[in-house]
Amino acid sequence: MSKSNEPRVVIIGAGMAGILSGIRLREAGLEDFTIYEKAERLGGTWRENTYPGIGCDVPSHIYSYSFAPNPDWSHLYSPGAEILEYFERVAESHGLIESIRFGEEIVRCEFIRGRWMIETSTGRRDEADFVIAATGVLHHPKLPDIEGFDSFEGACFHSARWDHSVKIDGKRVGIIGTGSTAVQIVGAITERVEKLSLFQRTAQWIAPQENTPYSEEQKSGFRADVKGLHAMRREMAQAFHEAFSNGLLDANSPQMTNLQETCRKNLEENVHDPELRERLRPNYQAACKRLVISPNFYEVIQRPNAELVTDPIECVEPAGVRTRDGTLHELDVLVLATGFRVDRFVRPTEVIGRGGVKLEQVWAERPAAYLSISIPDMPNFFLLNGPNGPVGNFSLIEIAEQQIGYVLQLVELYRSGACREVCVSSDALARFDAERVEATRGTVWSTGCRSWYLDDRGVPATWPWSFERFCEEMSAPKLEDYELVA
Ligand code: NAP
């Protein structure tokens, strides 16, 4: 193979998917790559989110790389700091740190004469044959459109920007939102604060979560039997796909019926005051919104120092939050657990493809990508966990692992000399997306609720097919859907 067929690759982001990309490129014998990371530390979402109670609600043995099982996970669902340490350890043990440029955000990528010209926030210029955007999905905090935030005299921050210099012990703390984040925070801080006010716009179905720690004996058993650990991991993943992922695709599936019943029982058996129970009861199907799981939310929200506020928020005032019934909820700290702008992906990076086509134009209506990976007129530019992928279906790690395997097959076309440029055709993307939209109709996400899974048309921006279909699609690119330029 001639040297000129060895591409240079630039990876955007040193989170879970960026680290994975570096490891996989190196395994494929591709040494010429750089990972650009805007922050001073790797870890993506696990670096940015440090709120009390943060953890992953996908079992840790599944939420880890297939090639780096971790016998030492402390819990079935391990806390965020432990997950961050895991990613750091994997990156270090694979010698990846020297390939990461920290503190440099890629601000612009332009495809000129067959190569991507790259510009970073420090003014550095780089060039690459391929760009892999591993920027994550939930990384731009969404601030609520509520009047008066600036006038608030206490401390106020978004959950993904937790201000650890602010004391919460013995304080009056308000939390806006009832998603996975808010529920974890409530579970972790209520016993520490003087008063907790949870501002709920929409009730959430909550599935119970048992999170017993792994014993030392179990961990040494995992260490001694790595083959067994791999097998357990595979079994857990398969059970997850069967009991949950594949059930999401049919709102009337037995899995969804069971889940609904589990959530209903959780609410009815654990919330004793009938009035509070009804205020906590959602009026839509479980798993229509991203399912929340919690070991203690219902117990904690019934404590004497906790208050569920369901009257709509009118405004924020210097002393607290005023609700529409006229009540002023006096607060020292206000936490905005209000979610993320989920349509950003690689943006705000300016991406300009073949013939000056701007990503901003291509995505003017809404973001789209073929198999959530490739975009027309953006040759040799691939996204991991891009638009309309299985973000709510499977572990994001197993998705990214399969996607990078797919992307490497496209890179291989370049290495073998089959082409210099490869990206999906507009027709193939249009066909794929029409089929995808059609397939979302019977899914649980389409049963009528407000959720971040829905795009601006109310169509689920997700993968509406099974795990098996995902694996099949990822196993080999259908080259007839791609434009190859020699
Ligand atoms: P989210 O699920 O988008 O929830 C945002 C919450 O804020 C919702 O309850 C929403 O109410 C409320 N909200 C937004 N704007 C509001 C306003 N103007 N007034 C009142 N309430 C408002 O965000 P999140 O909880 O940060 O979770 C985002 C995603 O991150 C999750 O779905 C999950 O995928 C991921 N996550 C995962 C874990 C994990 O353990 N793996 C933990 C945390 C987060 P409505 O429901 O009425 O819109």
Side-chain angles (χ1 to χ4, degrees):
M1 188 187 300
S2 86
K3 192 73 190 148
S4 65
N5 279 3
E6 283 304 288
R8 169 158 174 71
V9 183
V10 155
I11 297 162
I12 312 180
M16 172 278 288
I19 296 164
L20 167 72
S21 302
I23 292 171
R24 289 303 198 209
L25 286 175
R26 195 162 280 163
E27 278 171 8
L30 290 160
E31 289 292 336
D32 189 7
F33 67 88
T34 302
I35 305 175
Y36 284 92
E37 169 53 56
K38 66 181 177 193
E40 296 298 339
R41 193 176 177 187
L42 59 77
T45 203
W46 302 104
R47 178 199 63 235
E48 303 226 326
N49 286 274
T50 60
Y51 59 78
I54 181 166
C56 185
D57 58 13
V58 174
S60 299
H61 284 289
I62 310 182
Y63 195 81
S64 37
Y65 298 120
S66 61
F67 54 86
N70 177 16
D72 296 313
W73 287 121
S74 65
H75 291 74
L76 181 60
Y77 304 95
S78 299
E82 202 177 319
I83 299 170
L84 178 60
E85 276 168 31
Y86 167 80
F87 287 123
E88 289 184 324
R89 217 166 45 241
V90 173
E92 271 164 31
S93 65
H94 284 78
L96 216 61
I97 305 295
E98 56 270 29
S99 301
I100 307 175
R101 279 195 188 283
F102 289 101
E104 279 198 63
E105 182 171 4
I106 295 186
V107 292
R108 192 168 198 274
C109 305
E110 184 168 7
F111 195 71
I112 301 176
R113 286 185 294 279
R115 289 203 106 193
W116 285 99
M117 303 294 151
I118 292 166
E119 214 179 298
T120 78
S121 50
T122 63
R124 179 190 302 276
R125 285 172 197 278
D126 198 345
E127 290 183 25
D129 301 295
F130 285 86
V131 174
I132 298 174
T135 52
V137 187
L138 305 166
H139 54 117
H140 294 288
K142 193 175 81 192
L143 301 177
D145 187 14
I146 297 172
E147 252 179 60
F149 275 116
D150 292 345
S151 70
F152 183 56
E153 284 171 353
C156 177
F157 45 82
H158 188 271
S159 55
R161 301 284 181 272
W162 193 274
D163 185 345
H164 291 275
S165 70
V166 173
K167 198 169 166 284
I168 56 165
D169 296 275
K171 302 285 182 192
R172 298 162 304 175
V173 178
I175 300 175
I176 301 181
T178 49
S180 305
T181 301
V183 165
Q184 288 183 340
I185 297 172
V186 170
I189 71 169
T190 304
E191 64 179 9
R192 292 170 51 188
V193 304
E194 180 193 318
K195 179 161 187 208
L196 183 122
S197 306
L198 178 63
F199 295 91
Q200 169 184 288
R201 183 166 70 180
T202 309
Q204 283 275 7
W205 284 115
I206 296 177
Q209 179 190 39
E210 282 209 24
N211 196 14
T212 42
Y214 285 113
S215 66
E216 283 313 313
E217 202 184 335
Q218 283 173 304
K219 288 189 234 171
S220 58
F222 294 147
R223 253 177 256 127
D225 179 14
V226 176
K227 246 180 151 178
L229 181 56
H230 277 288
M232 183 186 82
R233 200 182 163 278
R234 278 194 303 274
E235 277 164 27
M236 283 173 91
Q238 198 181 342
F240 187 80
H241 300 146
E242 282 167 12
F244 181 70
S245 315
N246 290 349
L248 297 164
L249 313 176
D250 173 5
N252 299 314
S253 65
Q255 295 98 314
M256 290 301 101
T257 308
N258 281 342
L259 183 64
Q260 179 71 50
E261 188 52 18
T262 303
C263 292
R264 189 192 61 75
K265 265 174 99 179
N266 193 27
L267 172 70
E268 289 184 357
E269 289 174 4
N270 294 300
V271 181
H272 310 299
D273 171 8
E275 193 263 338
L276 177 64
R277 195 188 307 139
E278 291 321 302
R279 290 199 293 134
L280 285 167
R281 190 189 298 275
N283 60 359
Y284 54 87
Q285 186 175 340
C288 179
K289 278 173 172 295
R290 167 59 152 80
L291 186 72
V292 175
I293 64 174
S294 170
N296 66 350
F297 175 74
Y298 287 143
E299 179 229 311
V300 166
I301 199 68
Q302 294 174 89
R303 290 196 186 170
N305 69 331
E307 181 191 20
L308 180 77
V309 181
T310 48
D311 216 69
I313 296 173
E314 177 71 30
C315 62
V316 177
E317 296 185 3
V321 169
R322 191 172 294 279
T323 44
R324 229 173 266 169
D325 59 359
T327 310
L328 175 65
H329 302 265
E330 290 187 50
L331 300 170
D332 303 304
V333 181
L334 180 57
V335 178
L336 312 175
T338 44
F340 299 86
R341 296 181 67 193
V342 294
D343 63 346
R344 302 284 88 198
F345 299 98
V346 62
R347 296 179 284 184
T349 300
E350 192 182 4
V351 181
I352 304 168
R354 195 157 51 198
V357 173
K358 294 187 170 164
L359 182 66
E360 210 46 65
Q361 294 165 342
V362 181
W363 283 359
E365 275 191 7
R366 67 192 65 88
Y370 173 76
L371 294 170
S372 95
I373 290 175
S374 181
I375 305 164
D377 291 318
M378 302 290 157
N380 304 356
F381 182 98
F382 305 117
L383 302 129
L384 299 183
N385 282 312
N388 308 324
V391 65
N393 315 35
F394 325 127
S395 155
L396 285 183
I397 299 193
E398 67 189 349
I399 299 165
E401 283 200 24
Q402 300 225 25
Q403 289 177 332
I404 190 67
Y406 180 98
V407 166
L408 282 172
Q409 294 183 61
L410 296 172
V411 173
E412 213 44 49
L413 296 171
Y414 179 102
R415 287 176 99 188
S416 69
C419 70
R420 301 294 291 182
E421 299 176 19
V422 54
C423 66
V424 71
S425 69
S426 302
D427 285 352
L429 173 59
R431 208 175 48 241
F432 165 77
D433 214 44
E435 197 194 336
R436 189 191 64 76
V437 168
E438 183 59 32
T440 61
R441 288 182 194 275
T443 64
V444 73
W445 307 300
S446 295
T447 50
C449 65
R450 173 172 43 205
S451 123
W452 67 261
Y453 288 155
L454 302 179
D455 69 17
D456 59 312
R457 301 165 293 183
V459 171
T462 52
W463 174 265
W465 299 293
S466 68
F467 182 68
E468 291 70 27
R469 171 152 175 182
F470 181 68
C471 297
E472 195 187 309
E473 290 281 4
M474 291 298 109
S475 65
K478 291 181 184 132
L479 291 186
E480 63 274 23
D481 287 346
Y482 282 89
E483 287 173 356
L484 272 56
V485 176

